[in-house]
Amino acid sequence: MLQSNKFADYLETVRRQIRWKRAQTYVLEEIENHLADQKDAFQRDGLDEETAAIRAIAEMGDPVMVGEQLDRTHRPQPDWPLLAMTALLIILGLSIQFIIGTDINDGMERFYRQVIWAGLAVIVFLAAYFLDFTIIGKYSLIIYGLLMAIALGDYWLSGGGISGYNTAIYPLLLFPTIFAGLVYRMRNEGYWGLAFCGALAIIPIILISFMHYLTVLFLVGTSCLIILTVAVAKGWFKVRKLYALFIVYFSSGVIFSTMFFTMINQEYVRIRLQAALNPSSDPTGAGYMATLVQKLLSHSQLFGEGLPVGDYGYPIAKILPEINTNFLLTYLTHKFGWVLLIGILVIFAVFIVRAVLMSKRQKSALGQLVSLALILTFAIQVLTYIAFNLGFLVFNPVSLPFISYGGRALLINTCLIGFLLSIFRTGSLVSDKVGATVIKAGRLIQYEDGKIIINLKAAQ
């Protein structure tokens, strides 16, 4: 009892010095384990229990100094470059919407509406940023069920069709993140766990196929396939890798081939696909928009406004629709030059590359999988939007994150990026020990050659 009280007093003194509460559990567990190990070692040398406890505490050192040292190394680590780029993209998006607002009907009203959405988005971002991302691993099945219920509710309550998928697609953008949590939860369950994850992935894919929204189908399907591939390749499912990958890709091929041939049998899908691949075959019909985009881009200059297009004789805002949503990059390129497009793409490229590098540094499978899912959701939106604005009109864009007009897309993307930066801020304390809240790879406290070593680098 006396030994327990001494240890408890020592640990409490250390705890008071560590300001980040999430780190306290991990640090105190490490110190308590070491004190117990050291006490046992002294007892084996012939000391009684009370004296061994006192010696173990003395070997550890002054609790205030130990706590202060650990406090300096156990702090949240915000990724300032990504935070700065997120703020830059939001400000850039509002600035572009203001410029466009002067060129279209009701433009300024839409701009003010977007400012309100941006204010709400900042609140959503901060809520996601300070959220404990490990809830995705702990409650993935519950969150999955809620997400599917919300998506189905949005679709059916909106009457299905176009209005239905216009609202239902936004909660479905969260699905790859939830799927990463499901894969993490089932990672040690072998082939059964792999099959279970695949089955849960099929449900939202079927729902999306009813909506005929190819972009979201491509985003969700590709993201889930990559997440499963990474999990299998890293050995997290405890299965034969090549055999498991064959199962994953063969079954995916069958499912997506069936969906493709089912959709291609519909006339409007065939017409749209033909127009996207060869817009000149019907330049005044199905290929009109792709032809117009290509003409505008071919008349754009490196700097400044592009040359007039044919016989239109109107400003670009009068001949190109949806310049604040779907064709924003085409509009900016023709109005201000290729240099503005290149600048925007560089910002997105640097953001994605930086995020990938930070994701690879995560020590836990959960951190790696969830950050990968978030990056894929963000990157695929960007890539499909760029392709659409370059005249490849197969995939209707969801949004250009933070830039294009739309409140729901802005809220979802700020939530996703806030959650991503939450992982990078706190992920250093998370690993995959079952039943632990915060555990870290590498021993914080070691005993070597009669000396106690506090490995501060383990906290970095």
Side-chain angles (χ1 to χ4, degrees):
M1 179 65 70
L2 183 59
Q3 167 248 316
S4 298
N5 290 336
K6 287 182 180 294
F7 282 5
D9 292 342
Y10 186 91
L11 293 171
E12 176 61 21
T13 303
V14 172
R15 186 194 65 79
R16 290 195 193 113
Q17 317 310 312
I18 302 172
R19 286 169 285 182
W20 189 18
K21 291 184 178 180
R22 276 195 73 187
Q24 291 176 357
T25 302
Y26 159 65
V27 172
L28 296 183
E29 180 183 349
E30 284 277 353
I31 294 176
E32 184 175 19
N33 289 339
H34 180 76
L35 286 172
D37 291 343
Q38 192 60 36
K39 178 186 74 72
D40 292 341
F42 284 134
Q43 283 186 282
R44 286 194 297 270
D45 289 339
L47 297 181
D48 61 82
E49 184 176 6
E50 181 180 350
T51 304
I54 295 172
R55 284 284 303 277
I57 291 173
E59 290 275 358
M60 184 65 68
D62 179 68
V64 174
M65 292 183 62
V66 170
E68 288 176 349
Q69 286 180 322
L70 294 171
D71 177 65
R72 284 193 291 269
T73 55
H74 287 78
R75 293 182 183 179
Q77 301 171 3
D79 190 87
W80 295 111
L82 287 179
L83 280 168
M85 281 187 279
T86 301
L88 174 63
L89 286 170
I90 293 174
I91 294 170
L92 180 62
L94 289 176
S95 301
I96 290 172
Q97 292 301 323
F98 176 79
I99 293 171
I100 294 175
T102 62
D103 279 354
I104 61 176
N105 293 332
D106 300 325
M108 294 311 297
E109 180 181 344
R110 296 185 185 187
F111 166 72
Y112 294 132
R113 199 178 302 150
Q114 190 72 356
V115 171
I116 294 173
W117 280 114
L120 294 174
V122 170
I123 297 173
V124 171
F125 174 86
L126 291 174
Y129 183 69
F130 290 106
L131 193 66
D132 179 3
F133 76 91
T134 60
I135 63 173
I136 294 295
K138 297 173 184 175
Y139 308 110
S140 54
L141 281 172
I142 296 174
I143 299 173
Y144 173 89
L146 290 174
L147 185 62
M148 290 301 98
I150 291 171
L152 284 168
D154 275 348
Y155 183 66
W156 293 113
L157 290 177
S158 300
I162 294 177
S163 61
Y165 75 60
N166 274 342
T167 56
I169 61 169
Y170 296 107
L172 287 171
L173 291 177
L174 299 171
F175 177 73
T177 304
I178 308 306
F179 182 73
L182 291 169
V183 171
Y184 172 79
R185 182 164 181 169
M186 304 302 296
R187 70 192 187 284
N188 294 316
E189 300 298 330
Y191 290 104
W192 181 86
L194 188 63
F196 184 72
C197 289
L200 291 181
I202 292 174
I203 296 174
I205 287 173
I206 292 174
L207 174 60
I208 297 167
S209 69
F210 279 117
M211 302 176 190
H212 302 296
Y213 206 116
L214 290 178
T215 309
V216 180
L217 182 63
F218 175 72
L219 187 155
V220 172
T222 303
S223 298
C224 292
L225 188 58
I226 292 174
I227 291 166
L228 275 179
T229 300
V230 170
V232 171
K234 287 183 175 289
W236 291 334
F237 276 104
K238 314 297 183 188
V239 294
R240 292 167 55 193
K241 295 180 183 179
L242 291 179
Y243 181 63
L245 287 174
F246 172 78
I247 293 174
V248 169
Y249 278 87
F250 180 78
S251 57
S252 299
V254 170
I255 292 169
F256 286 113
S257 296
T258 303
M259 288 183 175
F260 175 78
F261 287 113
T262 301
M263 295 175 70
I264 205 68
N265 283 330
Q266 301 177 48
E267 185 177 0
Y268 83 94
V269 175
R270 290 199 305 271
I271 293 173
R272 178 174 176 179
L273 184 60
Q274 181 180 359
L277 297 176
N278 185 20
S280 60
S281 63
D282 190 11
T284 59
Y288 171 76
M289 285 308 305
T291 302
L292 175 59
V293 169
Q294 291 174 2
K295 285 183 178 180
L296 289 169
L297 293 176
S298 66
H299 285 70
S300 299
Q301 303 187 90
L302 182 60
F303 298 97
E305 189 167 0
L307 301 173
V309 178
D311 299 325
Y312 290 107
Y314 295 103
I316 183 175
K318 300 296 182 182
I319 61 176
L320 184 67
E322 301 175 335
I323 63 173
N324 63 334
T325 53
N326 288 346
F327 291 103
L328 183 145
L329 290 181
T330 304
Y331 163 81
L332 292 176
T333 303
H334 188 271
K335 188 173 181 66
F336 299 103
W338 284 97
V339 66
L340 181 57
L341 173 65
I342 294 170
I344 292 173
L345 297 188
V346 166
I347 296 173
F348 277 112
V350 172
F351 187 102
I352 293 169
V353 170
R354 172 73 181 180
V356 169
L357 293 176
M358 292 298 296
S359 176
K360 292 175 68 176
R361 295 180 187 176
Q362 299 304 303
K363 295 179 173 63
S364 68
L366 180 62
Q368 290 181 39
L369 287 171
V370 175
S371 60
L372 174 63
L374 292 163
I375 293 167
L376 286 169
T377 305
F378 183 84
I380 292 174
Q381 284 186 80
V382 172
L383 292 174
T384 53
Y385 193 97
I386 292 170
F388 193 83
N389 278 256
L390 293 178
F392 188 68
L393 307 190
V394 171
F395 295 110
N396 250 11
V398 178
S399 74
L400 183 62
F402 306 127
I403 304 292
S404 59
Y405 178 81
R408 291 188 184 94
L410 183 60
L411 290 179
I412 290 294
N413 281 308
T414 50
C415 177
L416 292 173
I417 297 304
F419 207 60
L420 177 66
L421 297 187
S422 172
I423 296 173
F424 297 159
R425 186 178 74 96
T426 64
S428 61
L429 282 181
V430 178
S431 74
D432 304 314
K433 183 177 176 181
V434 179
T437 304
V438 285
I439 304 166
K440 198 154 172 222
R443 294 284 295 175
L444 172 66
I445 301 169
Q446 304 174 32
Y447 187 78
E448 185 177 323
D449 297 331
K451 298 179 181 177
I452 293 177
I453 301 171
I454 297 179
N455 182 15
L456 297 180
K457 287 186 178 181
Q460 297 173 351

